[in-house]
Amino acid sequence: MFRDTFLDRIQIKGTYYIYFYSILVGVLSGAATIVFVFLLHSAERFVFTLHQRSYDDNHTIIEKIQLLADQPGKIALLVLLPALGAFLSGVITHYWADGRGGTGADAMIKSFHRKEGRIKKHIPFIKSLGTILTLSSGGSGGKEGPVAQIGGAIGVIVADFVKAGARARRTLLLAGTAAGLGAVFKAPLGGALTAVEMVYKEDIEADALVPCFLSSVTAYLVYSMYAGTGNFMNIGVKVSFSHTWELLFYLLLGVFCFVFGFLLIKGFNDTRVIFGRKLKVHPLLKPAIGGLMVGGISLLFFEVTGGGTSFLAQTFSGASPNFFGVESQYVVAISFLLIAFMKIVSTTLTIGSGGSAGIFGPSLFIGGMLGAAVGTIAQILLPDVDISIGSYIFVGMGGFYAGVANAPLAGIIMISEMTGTYVLLVPLIIVSIFTFILSKKITYYKSQVENRFSSPAHHYDMRIDVIESIVIKSAFHEYSNLAVVSNTMLLRDLRARAFDLQASDFVVVDDHHNYFGVLSLRHLDMRNLPWSDENHTISAHVDCNVPTITHNGSLGDALQVILECDIDKIAIVTKGKVEGYVSVKDIFNCYLSIVKSKKHHPVK
């Protein structure tokens, strides 16, 4: 009796309940962040004592080779430590986290859109241990991924405890994510904006904005009791926007951020394909192989291992690499670009091979190195202008993340808060928006959707009476057939078709064009499919139980099937024959055009 009364009283009955539980999530997430950061720093200090380097970052590549040649034990330690850390991380994620390496942020976004905010609550905590092993041993990545996941998991745990519905669970999931980010980067405003922006390409989750602010600020206050209230990064130099001509160089920086962002995302995708499908070794060995390769890179480019914050701070203070032993600012600029590229390589190898780490930290490092390169070029070409390279590093950090994450607001506010200055807000806005525009077709987070109308999480926002009144045959004069395939198609041919169309779900027909079913690549274990088998057809992987609809059905009926079966298109069938299909994007576009014109198609 008492238990039932207690549960009834704590259940969410209005907005103020959400606000209260957001604060609770912030307290718990802030405490969890303290534990995570303490364990990570302890592990990093322990490993650092193991390999005190005999050279520093000012040595040339030739000098590093000569020094290492006399210390074979040092070579073995530098190479094997990242491999060992990645192997142990792979063991943890393989056996206790369903083999889910990577950053974890994309899984959170997918959960928000397609799983009503539900996640396996133990996985973020397990992956956080994997991240500690990965980063402390020399793997390249950031610590924000697991912290955001832990916060999100805490939000879901609280939501489930109070028996919240799907909408409240999603909100508390984002509130927890904001709390983790706001705490670990000491950026309560930036953490909240990042959480509500990262789930979309061109929108924000406005419903969760206030809860995210509450949780992020609360977590920041809790974490500050452990880490203090200072800025996450002390840039240590005066930054300024001195001359209008500098805008040309800032635009050049935007171009560099786009190009290197493209390389980062392509590197991730290619590395995942190579390690996920083509590399025929036991899954436990894949992260270790990636770690071994990162260890090899660290012999000459130790700067790109780990989070890279130490070298970034040195660069802010005026230090510059001297890889080639040539006293030339052009060579210095090239060296910064080389470091940025090698950071991309080491990060893609670390995470793409199955290691656990975040992408935000490496984004700051890469963007900072690009900014240092462009700032050096600006100093050469504008000798009479007081150019601050630190200003370009600052702007590059925000601009690069804005591009790869499709999150310009997050890039602008997060960097300003982390460094404690808004002096460069104008060039930061220009570079972030410019890079965002150039990068609209690429994103690291594959589960991002365009906007709220494209998200299953907001189907409740649509007027049901309107969408159910729209008859399919009156809304579409013809149906698409690009993703209609035969059940005799070979798997290798389907993979090529999927790549060409950028499609994941296919309507399958038999030899007589009768409906056979739907094949969704998202629902399959891609690693175990016999892609190279010349005689293996797709028929064994087709779901023959997915319903169809006739052209006399409504868009509401079609959308219901799409949601229930978690597919992105539904076959239009007449007398067993497939006429084509209607995708979820077609449904939303039709709905939006009707709402804007305030005209209705005939009712059934």
Side-chain angles (χ1 to χ4, degrees), residues 210-479:
V210 173
C212 284
F213 278 137
L214 291 173
S215 64
S216 184
V217 168
T218 304
Y220 164 75
L221 292 174
V222 172
Y223 182 70
S224 295
M225 292 188 291
Y226 165 76
T229 57
N231 298 322
F232 175 82
M233 182 178 294
N234 185 7
I235 58 179
V237 294
K238 182 180 178 181
V239 293
S240 62
F241 177 44
S242 304
H243 199 284
T244 307
W245 280 107
E246 286 191 78
L247 288 178
L248 295 176
F249 293 95
Y250 280 116
L251 291 176
L252 175 63
L253 176 56
V255 174
F256 272 110
C257 287
F258 163 68
V259 172
F260 277 71
F262 173 81
L263 293 176
L264 176 67
I265 293 172
K266 181 172 174 55
F268 268 120
N269 294 336
D270 291 347
T271 305
R272 284 166 176 160
V273 170
I274 292 172
F275 279 87
R277 302 176 193 168
K278 297 184 179 181
L279 190 60
K280 304 300 182 182
V281 298
H282 194 280
L284 290 179
L285 297 178
K286 293 180 180 180
I289 294 173
L292 194 66
M293 298 171 74
V294 172
I297 293 173
S298 73
L299 293 177
L300 299 181
F301 299 96
F302 194 82
E303 303 87 351
V304 304
T305 59
T309 53
S310 176
F311 183 77
L312 191 59
Q314 293 176 28
T315 307
F316 262 122
S317 301
S320 58
N322 185 30
F323 293 144
F324 305 104
V326 178
E327 296 296 331
S328 168
Q329 283 186 294
Y330 286 109
V331 175
V332 170
I334 293 173
S335 297
F336 280 125
L337 293 178
L338 178 61
I339 293 175
F341 179 76
M342 297 310 297
K343 185 65 172 179
I344 289 175
V345 175
S346 62
T347 304
T348 56
L349 287 172
T350 298
I351 303 176
S353 63
S356 294
I359 188 64
F360 185 76
S363 296
L364 300 186
F365 184 94
I366 296 167
M369 292 302 103
L370 297 178
V374 175
T376 302
I377 295 172
Q379 283 186 333
I380 298 172
L381 299 181
L382 296 177
D384 298 328
V385 178
D386 183 19
I387 299 291
S388 167
I389 291 182
S391 301
Y392 287 84
I393 298 173
F394 175 94
V395 173
M397 290 163 62
F400 188 85
Y401 182 73
V404 296
N406 278 316
L409 283 178
I412 294 168
I413 302 301
M414 183 71 88
I415 299 304
S416 297
E417 268 196 298
M418 287 172 58
T419 55
T421 178
Y422 289 85
V423 173
L424 295 171
L425 202 56
V426 171
L428 181 58
I429 291 174
I430 291 173
V431 173
S432 296
I433 299 299
F434 183 53
T435 308
F436 167 70
I437 293 172
L438 292 176
S439 308
K440 281 179 67 67
K441 292 186 178 181
I442 63 172
T443 178
Y444 176 76
Y445 302 124
K446 290 186 176 182
S447 295
Q448 279 182 333
V449 298
E450 291 292 332
N451 49 47
R452 291 160 63 93
F453 287 108
S454 302
S455 171
H458 284 283
H459 288 157
Y460 58 80
D461 289 339
M462 294 191 300
R463 288 182 54 191
I464 299 300
D465 59 328
V466 173
I467 200 167
E468 288 186 346
S469 71
I470 304 173
V471 181
I472 290 177
K473 67 179 179 182
S474 60
F476 302 98
H477 300 297
E478 58 181 359
Y479 309 113

Side-chain angles (χ1 to χ4, degrees), residues 93-109:
T93 56
H94 181 77
Y95 287 109
W96 292 288
D98 299 340
R100 299 181 185 182
T103 67
D106 198 62
M108 183 279 294
I109 296 172

Side-chain angles (χ1 to χ4, degrees), residues 3 7 11-12 158-165:
R3 181 176 180 274
L7 290 176
Q11 285 182 359
I12 295 176
V158 171
D160 288 346
F161 180 76
V162 300
K163 299 187 182 302

Side-chain angles (χ1 to χ4, degrees), residues 62-95:
I62 298 299
E63 289 172 340
K64 290 178 180 179
I65 293 174
Q66 291 172 342
L67 288 168
L68 287 170
D70 299 328
Q71 304 178 75
K74 179 74 69 175
I75 295 176
L77 194 62
L78 286 172
V79 173
L80 294 180
L81 263 178
L84 177 61
F87 174 74
L88 295 176
S89 174
V91 170
I92 290 174
T93 56
H94 181 77
Y95 287 109

